[in-house]
């Protein structure tokens, strides 16, 4: 069990659907992250939030829309995804984005686009 | 040159032996280094962090850092079959205004043979 909770664990959606991924942590961390991981590849950074503000966007397509409603929650809104977007989506958190704080990952959401 | 490089393996080690995993990085300004373990179908799990030159030991795990050579390694003593996993080296490259940007190597797949 991890202290970063992601829901749902699995999601299957069509290319015209709208869905959201959710991430929650109660460790008092002020930095939260979204990563995408394809099979047999390392995680790739998508977004970084620091104190509920978007800090880094790694040129992610606009069909992915992040949201950080408060310090404990991070959402990733999905719309009009493509089959190549099928992957494991990982949320992580750390004490802050500054310095040397390690990141702790949730269990991920496995997303399949039909 | 990739920012973080690892030998993808597979690395096969007999049970009870020492497993040695290596990683090099390109950014001389990097200050923090992490090893994550990822079992198949699971999310990355932080097992070691290291920030200063030298060795850091935690149970059967030892992380080694040499900033002059831009080299970080992980030793696993008394290897167990449960250590079979992909090991990801991650380096904080520091992004916009110093915000943490964690970049992963490709991962080394380790198999411990009983």
């Amino acid at each position: 069990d991890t202290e970063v909770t992601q829901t749902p664990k699995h999601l299957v959606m069509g290319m015209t659907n709208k869905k959201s991924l959710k991430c929650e942590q109660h460790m008092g961390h002020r930095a939260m992250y979204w990563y995408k991981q394809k099979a047999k590849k390392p995680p790739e950074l998508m977004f970084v939030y620091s104190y509920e503000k978007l800090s880094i966007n790694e040129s992610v397509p606009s069909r992915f829309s992040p949201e950080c409603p408060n310090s404990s929650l991070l959402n990733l809104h999905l719309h009009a995804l493509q089959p190549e977007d099928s992957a494991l989506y990982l949320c992580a958190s750390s004490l802050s984005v500054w310095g040397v704080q390690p990141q702790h990952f949730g269990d991920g959401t496995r997303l399949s686009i039909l | 040159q990739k920012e973080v490089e690892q030998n993808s393996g597979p690395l096969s080690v007999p049970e009870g032996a020492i497993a040695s995993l290596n990683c090099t990085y390109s950014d001389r300004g990097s200050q923090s280094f992490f090893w994550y373990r990822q079992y198949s179908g699971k999310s990355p799990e932080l097992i070691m962090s290291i920030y200063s030159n030298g060795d850091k030991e935690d149970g059967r795990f030892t992380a080694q850092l040499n900033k002059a050579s831009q080299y970080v390694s992980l030793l696993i003593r008394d290897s167990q079959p449960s250590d079979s996993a992909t090991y990801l080296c991650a380096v904080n490259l520091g992004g916009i205004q110093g915000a943490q940007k964690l970049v992963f190597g490709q991962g080394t797949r380790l198999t411990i043979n009983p």
Side-chain angles (χ1 to χ4, degrees):
Chain A
D1 290 345
T2 64
E3 295 180 83
V4 178
T5 304
Q6 291 187 243
T7 55
K9 294 194 183 304
H10 302 274
L11 179 62
V12 180
M13 58 186 288
M15 289 189 285
T16 59
N17 292 154
K18 286 185 180 181
K19 296 286 185 182
S20 297
L21 308 184
K22 295 186 184 301
C23 175
E24 189 169 3
Q25 58 86 15
H26 295 289
M27 295 181 283
H29 289 179
R30 300 313 299 268
M32 297 185 77
Y33 312 81
W34 280 115
Y35 289 84
K36 174 182 178 180
Q37 186 176 25
K38 301 283 278 185
K40 300 190 186 304
K41 297 291 187 182
E44 293 182 355
L45 183 65
M46 300 175 71
F47 302 104
V48 179
Y49 272 84
S50 175
Y51 288 84
E52 297 91 68
K53 293 192 189 318
L54 184 63
S55 178
I56 295 177
N57 177 340
E58 289 289 278
S59 302
V60 179
S62 59
R63 57 186 184 267
F64 295 92
S65 176
E67 178 196 21
C68 190
N70 61 55
S71 61
S72 300
L73 291 174
L74 184 66
N75 299 321
L76 186 62
H77 302 298
L78 313 173
H79 174 54
L81 295 194
Q82 304 298 308
E84 61 265 28
D85 297 322
S86 297
L88 179 67
Y89 287 84
L90 295 161
C91 174
S93 70
S94 64
L95 273 173
S96 79
V97 295
W98 311 107
V100 298
Q101 307 302 328
Q103 295 182 23
H104 299 270
F105 286 84
D107 289 338
T109 294
R110 192 161 298 280
L111 176 65
S112 297
I113 307 300
L114 300 179
Chain B
Q1 181 186 4
K2 291 183 181 177
E3 293 172 310
V4 181
E5 294 203 54
Q6 292 180 256
N7 186 332
S8 61
L11 177 64
S12 186
V13 172
E15 184 175 356
I18 295 175
S20 178
L21 306 165
N22 304 314
C23 173
T24 59
Y25 59 94
S26 60
D27 183 0
R28 284 196 169 274
S30 299
Q31 296 296 319
S32 52
F33 308 87
F34 308 94
W35 285 99
Y36 287 84
R37 177 176 63 198
Q38 187 170 26
Y39 293 113
S40 181
K42 301 296 185 181
S43 64
E45 175 192 7
L46 179 70
I47 55 172
M48 290 291 285
S49 56
I50 187 166
Y51 312 112
S52 305
N53 280 329
D55 295 359
K56 179 182 178 183
E57 186 174 320
D58 183 0
R60 296 186 295 111
F61 298 97
T62 299
Q64 300 173 316
L65 175 62
N66 184 326
K67 290 186 179 179
S69 300
Q70 295 174 243
Y71 176 91
V72 59
S73 66
L74 179 70
L75 301 178
I76 307 174
R77 290 183 300 281
D78 187 23
S79 298
Q80 302 297 310
S82 58
D83 295 325
S84 297
T86 295
Y87 288 81
L88 295 162
C89 173
V91 178
N92 173 12
L93 296 185
I96 299 170
Q97 298 179 352
Q100 183 182 120
K101 178 179 174 180
L102 204 59
V103 176
F104 290 84
Q106 290 298 305
T108 298
R109 187 157 56 91
L110 174 66
T111 299
I112 306 301
N113 299 309

